[in-house]
Amino acid sequence: MIIDCHGHYTTAPAELQVFRDEQIAALKVPGHVPAKRPLAISDDQLRASVQPQLKFQTDRGTDLTIFSPRASAMAHHIGDAVVSTHWSEHCNDLIYRVCDLFPRNFVGVCQLPQSPGVPIAQSIAELERCVTQLGFIGCNLNPDPSGGHWTAPPLTDRAWYPFYEKMVELDVPAMVHVSASCNPNFHATGAHYINADTTAFMQFMTADLFKDFPTLRMIIPHGGGAVPYHWGRYRGLAQDMKRPPLTDLIRHNVFFDTCVYHQAGIDLLLKIVPADNILFGSEMVGAVRGIDPETGHYYDDTKRYVDASALGAAERRKVFEDNVRKVYPRINDRLKAAESALGA
Amino acid sequence: MIIDCHGHYTTAPAELQVFRDEQIAALKVPGHVPAKRPLAISDDQLRASVQPQLKFQTDRGTDLTIFSPRASAMAHHIGDAVVSTHWSEHCNDLIYRVCDLFPRNFVGVCQLPQSPGVPIAQSIAELERCVTQLGFIGCNLNPDPSGGHWTAPPLTDRAWYPFYEKMVELDVPAMVHVSASCNPNFHATGAHYINADTTAFMQFMTADLFKDFPTLRMIIPHGGGAVPYHWGRYRGLAQDMKRPPLTDLIRHNVFFDTCVYHQAGIDLLLKIVPADNILFGSEMVGAVRGIDPETGHYYDDTKRYVDASALGAAERRKVFEDNVRKVYPRINDRLKAAESALGA
């Protein structure tokens, strides 16, 4: 089985964006109280909307996508916590419905109703709802709800601990994933995303978060940002700072996906980072949508790069399936339930 | 000849830091007017201070270091433009004296008296002084004088153009180099530096700066941040945005150094990025000071990695020497003058 740990619902029906546009327009009306209205989206519309993902799964030979709301649209910096909550609930509910329609193809991961300056504890209820009521298996945690101004404390600060306690209790991991950038310095998918990955890794490296939470699991997407390419730098910095070796630091707690869009990058990742800490992911349909003229294949068809790598069979199985089952343990029950319901 | 394009004066005599500490202490005194006093540092002290660099040059087989003030100590966010000017002048004057004492070993690149919110035009005088009076061949340009809050406009904004006009007139390049981070999210050498590299590249990729300044040259240090590792992502993003191919975008204007501290990283860099756009650099003595237990050699002895790479002889010569002469053309006269003065 090949599980893609990193898919966003970038093809949702237009009605979702209509609601969002209404939210944003209402912010300009003095004294307006944020309101949530139902979305008029049918199951048929949902089915039609994920045909691109289903076709890519078939064409590329992957089985299941861990599916979460569009990351760049989370935009936690827009409006306040109420606006963010309404928006997150709608986005998560659509993910739930897609997963319910295609239980063999999608498993849900939730967006959180974060908001700049608002304690992360206020995101616990939505996490709990998504995991216990909607069957989600993890969440996307934004280390910078300000959208490129980086005003929140580092992820290793105790301000985040109440949320980590709930993650541990529910046994769900978080993918560390920023959203759109409202800082003109940072292109969202080209700079802000990758910077956030690198930043989070360095935060984890310099603090004892995983001593406090030995079972807390964080996925750093986009191949770990700059980290594998600069692995020697990070090994050296850890050494200079009398920190444990990197492989010990990350072993049970920090994982990278394979969202790196060329063979040489994937080869480096698979060569340098222990296979136990890599999860297959493609970010499909996402940041880069074109076909690479050098290969004739989609840039984000990352399975091809892993297939063409020097990775051995046992390690390949870890990357494609076993590690995901380990990092997102709730996926196992979800898959059993899907098989049972559909008749395996 | 092997020229290291990236060396900082991290071993300056303690007297320099005494002055800086006085500056910082004075900021707390209400109504204090920033003052500059002479530094009491002898030539013998300077000679002694750079023995580590000279020994590394000998031990590693490099000839010349392009030498600039300690990057993390620039700290443009401390004090105002006057404080920054006094500090920059002292730092640059010491670089000048070291280069004057060891003209075959060091050539100068200057720090700029940037300050948050202050127009970059105010840094032109110091650039001009350093290039025309002190014989410097380039500058370090900080894209984020705020130290991790990223409040300046992108490097492609017209606010920077007056400075670029002077760079073009003087025919000197800039290394895009941030300084210390006062944002607790960003570890300086582990996150802020690398993020700034990635950020600058994406800024250059999405704007027409080099159409406006066809001869402007920018060095992105630390192996280009995350860029070579994510080369497929950047190629794909450029394609999606209808931008020119990356190799065309960077050809005459954007260069990466080799400050990547392990073999696999250097191999990827040299494989992916055209040799014409890579300059040898080590960041010695700098960010990572230890010895890699896996190799028994210093992490930052990057010459070893380039030596062990698959790079052909002609391309190797470009990386070690020719590209530096092309990107920093003023180095040629400096070297001729040094040979002539010392007797070649």
Side-chain angles (χ1 to χ4, degrees), chain A residues 53 73 142 152 156 165 222 270 301 309 332:
Chain A
Q53 287 84 352
N142 186 345
T156 47
E165 285 164 11
H222 320 109
L270 298 177
D301 185 357
S309 76
N332 298 305

Side-chain angles (χ1 to χ4, degrees), chain A residues 40-111:
Chain A
I41 299 178
S42 69
D43 283 356
D44 279 347
Q45 284 178 296
L46 292 179
R47 282 191 196 95
S49 74
V50 293
Q51 291 307 310
Q53 287 84 352
L54 294 174
K55 182 169 181 350
F56 281 138
Q57 285 183 352
T58 305
D59 291 351
R60 300 179 183 184
T62 65
D63 299 296
L64 181 78
T65 300
I66 297 182
F67 207 46
S68 61
R70 185 177 193 170
S72 64
M74 298 190 297
H76 295 114
H77 59 278
I78 294 178
D80 60 13
V82 176
V83 169
S84 188
T85 298
H86 292 169
W87 175 235
S88 297
E89 287 170 356
H90 270 323
C91 290
N92 291 331
D93 287 347
L94 286 191
I95 294 291
Y96 165 72
R97 289 176 61 196
V98 168
C99 295
D100 197 49
L101 289 168
F102 299 96
R104 278 175 165 164
N105 299 92
F106 300 105
V107 179
V109 150
C110 67
Q111 166 179 335

